[in-house]
């Protein structure tokens, strides 16, 4: 009923920037929490950044000061601005949204987008 489509990944040099986007589409839903997760090679998927419906944000220590999560509620879209990228940021990035549909909450995941940072 809700689909999340990610975009914005790619290959960048260390110190560069990328902006990831994740747009939700569907009908008769509202979005509560939006999050970005990272899954590096040989690692578990971990939360990178969270933004609440009220705009409060939280970040993993590893990205604090470098990444910024934001949302555009008119577009049902969450963004992750990634600056000062490091090779260790190389991973697949997934967006996750908690949505309410007819009074019930569900989670949806994007398809993932690859971020590769070269040294």
């Amino acid at each position: 009923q809700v689909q999340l489509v990610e975009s914005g990944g790619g290959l960048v040099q260390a110190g560069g920037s990328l902006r990831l986007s994740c747009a939700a589409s569907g009908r008769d839903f509202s979005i509560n929490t939006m999050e970005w997760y990272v899954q590096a090679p040989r690692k578990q998927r971990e939360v990178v950044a969270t933004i609440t419906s009220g705009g409060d944000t939280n970040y993993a220590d590893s990205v604090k000061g470098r990444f910024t999560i934001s949302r555009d509620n008119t577009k049902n879209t969450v963004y992750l601005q990634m600056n000062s990228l490091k090779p260790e940021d190389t991973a697949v990035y997934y967006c996750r949204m908690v949505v309410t549909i007819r009074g019930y909450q569900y989670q949806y995941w994007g398809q993932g987008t690859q971020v590769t940072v070269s040294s």
Side-chain angles (χ1 to χ4, degrees):
Q1 290 183 287
V2 176
Q3 294 80 43
L4 308 185
V5 179
E6 300 182 32
S7 62
L11 173 64
V12 296
Q13 292 181 266
S17 298
L18 285 173
R19 189 195 192 208
L20 307 184
S21 300
C22 177
S25 62
R27 303 178 108 172
D28 300 322
F29 70 95
S30 61
I31 305 173
N32 304 105
T33 302
M34 296 178 170
E35 296 178 316
W36 286 97
Y37 283 72
V38 61
Q39 188 162 21
R42 305 172 303 280
K43 297 280 287 184
Q44 293 180 304
R45 191 175 299 185
E46 299 178 341
V47 65
V48 171
T50 298
I51 186 166
T52 69
S53 59
D56 295 324
T57 59
N58 281 294
Y59 299 92
D61 288 342
S62 61
V63 307
K64 204 165 189 176
R66 299 188 298 122
F67 292 6
T68 303
I69 187 171
S70 61
R71 62 192 288 166
D72 185 342
N73 292 327
T74 68
K75 299 178 179 178
N76 293 325
T77 299
V78 62
Y79 305 95
L80 187 67
Q81 179 66 48
M82 304 186 294
N83 298 326
S84 301
L85 282 162
K86 306 173 181 179
E88 48 262 48
D89 296 321
T90 295
V92 178
Y93 287 75
Y94 298 88
C95 65
R96 173 183 177 266
M97 298 187 187
V98 178
V99 306
T100 298
I101 305 172
R102 304 184 194 96
Y104 292 86
Q105 290 191 343
Y106 305 85
Q107 70 169 357
Y108 289 89
W109 291 87
Q111 81 279 10
T113 185
Q114 176 70 46
V115 171
T116 303
V117 184
S118 62
S119 60

